[in-house]
Amino acid sequence: MLRHLPTSKVIPIVAWFLSATTGSQAHTSIVLTLDERTVCVANQDSGSVSLWDWQVATEPVEIPVGDEPRMLALIPGNRLVCVTTQRSQELALVDLTTHACIRRIPIGGQPVGVTISSDGRYAFVAQFAGDYWDGEYHAGSVAVVDLQKQIVHARISVRPCPFAMAMSTDGHQVYVSHYLAVDGTGWVSEIDAHTFRVTREFSLDEDLDSASGRGGVFNGLASLAVHPRENRLLVAGMQANVHRGLK
């Protein structure tokens, strides 16, 4: 029996969804390929990705990708999957046909979340520890990786502790959660997927209904998902009742 469920919130987002069937890239450590044949899983402790063709019940193939793999994202239009490796600080590309890691792109900043542009050209990678560029440290950063050239194309300055990533259904917006709340407020940022600029920030304010035991600071924003048909963004995290026991 489930006793404790993670708290979630729904944020209205202004976007025109062109199709409900194209899907959206969400923050996950397990993905199923579009042909529904191969299950891909990030193995954080063993530094590998497992590929399992469940329809023929073969043994999973385990592919080394680097230290502490975290999140996966399929690249539309080909047989590649991206995986972030937080300790190795890279974005690994795994070929689903040859079962090999074909490239490990240096990212830095402890990459965690990853999502892919709708055309498969760019990967957006959340750098949890931030990064340095132009002689300045940015406490929060999203790296934009050109998957054709296999290099970091741009970096976007965001609030600290970027973590989960999701792409809107129409491919125009990227959403990133910020894992830790600041001064009692949780945050989600919206990035234009074409100009690589932050366009909006959503604040998740503290719920002051602490008497019921259900209020508190919305913290630990660990996952995002875009509703496929409605203009809603689902944010999963923890409700920390910081006032409990003080009254």
Side-chain angles (χ1 to χ4, degrees), residues 159-175:
R159 288 179 178 271
C161 303
F163 196 81
M165 305 286 295
M167 179 70 65
S168 66
T169 312
D170 62 8
H172 293 325
Q173 290 86 28
V174 179
Y175 297 98

mmCIF file of all heavy atoms in Angstrom, residues 159-175:
data_model
loop_
_atom_site.group_PDB
_atom_site.id
_atom_site.type_symbol
_atom_site.label_atom_id
_atom_site.label_comp_id
_atom_site.label_asym_id
_atom_site.label_seq_id
_atom_site.Cartn_x
_atom_site.Cartn_y
_atom_site.Cartn_z
ATOM 1 N N ARG A 159 18.073 30.313 -12.873
ATOM 2 C CA ARG A 159 18.164 30.275 -11.420
ATOM 3 C C ARG A 159 18.989 29.069 -10.964
ATOM 4 O O ARG A 159 19.176 28.110 -11.723
ATOM 5 C CB ARG A 159 16.761 30.211 -10.812
ATOM 6 C CG ARG A 159 15.985 31.525 -10.926
ATOM 7 C CD ARG A 159 14.598 31.395 -10.325
ATOM 8 N NE ARG A 159 13.884 32.665 -10.388
ATOM 9 C CZ ARG A 159 13.948 33.598 -9.437
ATOM 10 N NH1 ARG A 159 14.668 33.385 -8.335
ATOM 11 N NH2 ARG A 159 13.280 34.735 -9.565
ATOM 12 N N PRO A 160 19.471 29.088 -9.703
ATOM 13 C CA PRO A 160 20.313 27.985 -9.215
ATOM 14 C C PRO A 160 19.596 26.639 -9.205
ATOM 15 O O PRO A 160 18.370 26.567 -9.178
ATOM 16 C CB PRO A 160 20.678 28.433 -7.799
ATOM 17 C CG PRO A 160 20.526 29.913 -7.799
ATOM 18 C CD PRO A 160 19.390 30.197 -8.733
ATOM 19 N N CYS A 161 20.401 25.585 -9.225
ATOM 20 C CA CYS A 161 19.969 24.187 -9.069
ATOM 21 C C CYS A 161 18.968 23.720 -10.124
ATOM 22 O O CYS A 161 17.941 23.107 -9.793
ATOM 23 C CB CYS A 161 19.387 23.957 -7.680
ATOM 24 S SG CYS A 161 20.498 24.375 -6.320
ATOM 25 N N PRO A 162 19.209 23.969 -11.426
ATOM 26 C CA PRO A 162 18.312 23.406 -12.445
ATOM 27 C C PRO A 162 18.387 21.880 -12.403
ATOM 28 O O PRO A 162 19.453 21.313 -12.223
ATOM 29 C CB PRO A 162 18.866 23.975 -13.752
ATOM 30 C CG PRO A 162 20.313 24.244 -13.471
ATOM 31 C CD PRO A 162 20.366 24.656 -12.033
ATOM 32 N N PHE A 163 17.238 21.241 -12.584
ATOM 33 C CA PHE A 163 17.220 19.787 -12.366
ATOM 34 C C PHE A 163 16.435 19.054 -13.450
ATOM 35 O O PHE A 163 17.009 18.471 -14.345
ATOM 36 C CB PHE A 163 16.642 19.496 -10.979
ATOM 37 C CG PHE A 163 16.900 18.108 -10.481
ATOM 38 C CD1 PHE A 163 18.120 17.787 -9.916
ATOM 39 C CD2 PHE A 163 15.925 17.136 -10.563
ATOM 40 C CE1 PHE A 163 18.377 16.502 -9.457
ATOM 41 C CE2 PHE A 163 16.162 15.845 -10.108
ATOM 42 C CZ PHE A 163 17.382 15.525 -9.553
ATOM 43 N N ALA A 164 15.105 19.082 -13.365
ATOM 44 C CA ALA A 164 14.287 18.352 -14.334
ATOM 45 C C ALA A 164 14.036 19.194 -15.577
ATOM 46 O O ALA A 164 13.934 20.415 -15.500
ATOM 47 C CB ALA A 164 12.963 17.941 -13.702
ATOM 48 N N MET A 165 13.920 18.522 -16.727
ATOM 49 C CA MET A 165 13.690 19.205 -17.999
ATOM 50 C C MET A 165 12.482 18.586 -18.698
ATOM 51 O O MET A 165 12.223 17.388 -18.570
ATOM 52 C CB MET A 165 14.912 19.069 -18.914
ATOM 53 C CG MET A 165 16.227 19.541 -18.341
ATOM 54 S SD MET A 165 16.385 21.325 -18.258
ATOM 55 C CE MET A 165 16.358 21.776 -19.984
ATOM 56 N N ALA A 166 11.765 19.402 -19.449
ATOM 57 C CA ALA A 166 10.667 18.902 -20.288
ATOM 58 C C ALA A 166 10.495 19.831 -21.480
ATOM 59 O O ALA A 166 10.710 21.038 -21.370
ATOM 60 C CB ALA A 166 9.366 18.800 -19.495
ATOM 61 N N MET A 167 10.089 19.252 -22.598
ATOM 62 C CA MET A 167 9.834 20.010 -23.823
ATOM 63 C C MET A 167 8.337 20.111 -24.056
ATOM 64 O O MET A 167 7.600 19.134 -23.867
ATOM 65 C CB MET A 167 10.496 19.304 -25.019
ATOM 66 C CG MET A 167 10.285 19.972 -26.366
ATOM 67 S SD MET A 167 11.161 21.536 -26.538
ATOM 68 C CE MET A 167 12.873 20.966 -26.445
ATOM 69 N N SER A 168 7.850 21.290 -24.440
ATOM 70 C CA SER A 168 6.433 21.441 -24.739
ATOM 71 C C SER A 168 6.058 20.581 -25.940
ATOM 72 O O SER A 168 6.906 20.229 -26.769
ATOM 73 C CB SER A 168 6.093 22.906 -25.015
ATOM 74 O OG SER A 168 6.721 23.358 -26.200
ATOM 75 N N THR A 169 4.781 20.256 -26.038
ATOM 76 C CA THR A 169 4.327 19.375 -27.108
ATOM 77 C C THR A 169 4.568 19.973 -28.488
ATOM 78 O O THR A 169 4.834 19.254 -29.453
ATOM 79 C CB THR A 169 2.835 19.054 -26.929
ATOM 80 O OG1 THR A 169 2.600 18.664 -25.577
ATOM 81 C CG2 THR A 169 2.398 17.931 -27.839
ATOM 82 N N ASP A 170 4.485 21.305 -28.594
ATOM 83 C CA ASP A 170 4.707 21.929 -29.901
ATOM 84 C C ASP A 170 6.181 22.194 -30.187
ATOM 85 O O ASP A 170 6.544 22.647 -31.259
ATOM 86 C CB ASP A 170 3.904 23.221 -30.025
ATOM 87 C CG ASP A 170 4.303 24.288 -29.010
ATOM 88 O OD1 ASP A 170 5.307 24.090 -28.290
ATOM 89 O OD2 ASP A 170 3.611 25.313 -28.927
ATOM 90 N N GLY A 171 7.056 21.920 -29.216
ATOM 91 C CA GLY A 171 8.489 22.079 -29.428
ATOM 92 C C GLY A 171 9.015 23.487 -29.325
ATOM 93 O O GLY A 171 10.188 23.733 -29.616
ATOM 94 N N HIS A 172 8.200 24.428 -28.872
ATOM 95 C CA HIS A 172 8.629 25.822 -28.816
ATOM 96 C C HIS A 172 9.214 26.229 -27.463
ATOM 97 O O HIS A 172 9.974 27.193 -27.392
ATOM 98 C CB HIS A 172 7.455 26.755 -29.143
ATOM 99 C CG HIS A 172 6.973 26.651 -30.554
ATOM 100 N ND1 HIS A 172 7.812 26.413 -31.617
ATOM 101 C CD2 HIS A 172 5.717 26.735 -31.077
ATOM 102 C CE1 HIS A 172 7.113 26.368 -32.736
ATOM 103 N NE2 HIS A 172 5.835 26.554 -32.434
ATOM 104 N N GLN A 173 8.830 25.537 -26.394
ATOM 105 C CA GLN A 173 9.297 25.914 -25.059
ATOM 106 C C GLN A 173 9.981 24.742 -24.364
ATOM 107 O O GLN A 173 9.589 23.579 -24.543
ATOM 108 C CB GLN A 173 8.131 26.395 -24.176
ATOM 109 C CG GLN A 173 7.540 27.731 -24.563
ATOM 110 C CD GLN A 173 6.488 27.606 -25.630
ATOM 111 O OE1 GLN A 173 5.828 26.578 -25.749
ATOM 112 N NE2 GLN A 173 6.310 28.656 -26.415
ATOM 113 N N VAL A 174 10.995 25.092 -23.579
ATOM 114 C CA VAL A 174 11.669 24.134 -22.704
ATOM 115 C C VAL A 174 11.376 24.557 -21.267
ATOM 116 O O VAL A 174 11.441 25.746 -20.944
ATOM 117 C CB VAL A 174 13.188 24.130 -22.948
ATOM 118 C CG1 VAL A 174 13.880 23.145 -22.005
ATOM 119 C CG2 VAL A 174 13.496 23.780 -24.391
ATOM 120 N N TYR A 175 11.062 23.590 -20.429
ATOM 121 C CA TYR A 175 10.805 23.882 -19.021
ATOM 122 C C TYR A 175 11.864 23.208 -18.156
ATOM 123 O O TYR A 175 12.267 22.074 -18.423
ATOM 124 C CB TYR A 175 9.405 23.408 -18.626
ATOM 125 C CG TYR A 175 8.330 24.126 -19.396
ATOM 126 C CD1 TYR A 175 7.757 23.543 -20.527
ATOM 127 C CD2 TYR A 175 7.926 25.406 -19.034
ATOM 128 C CE1 TYR A 175 6.795 24.223 -21.265
ATOM 129 C CE2 TYR A 175 6.969 26.091 -19.775
ATOM 130 C CZ TYR A 175 6.417 25.486 -20.883
ATOM 131 O OH TYR A 175 5.479 26.167 -21.610
#
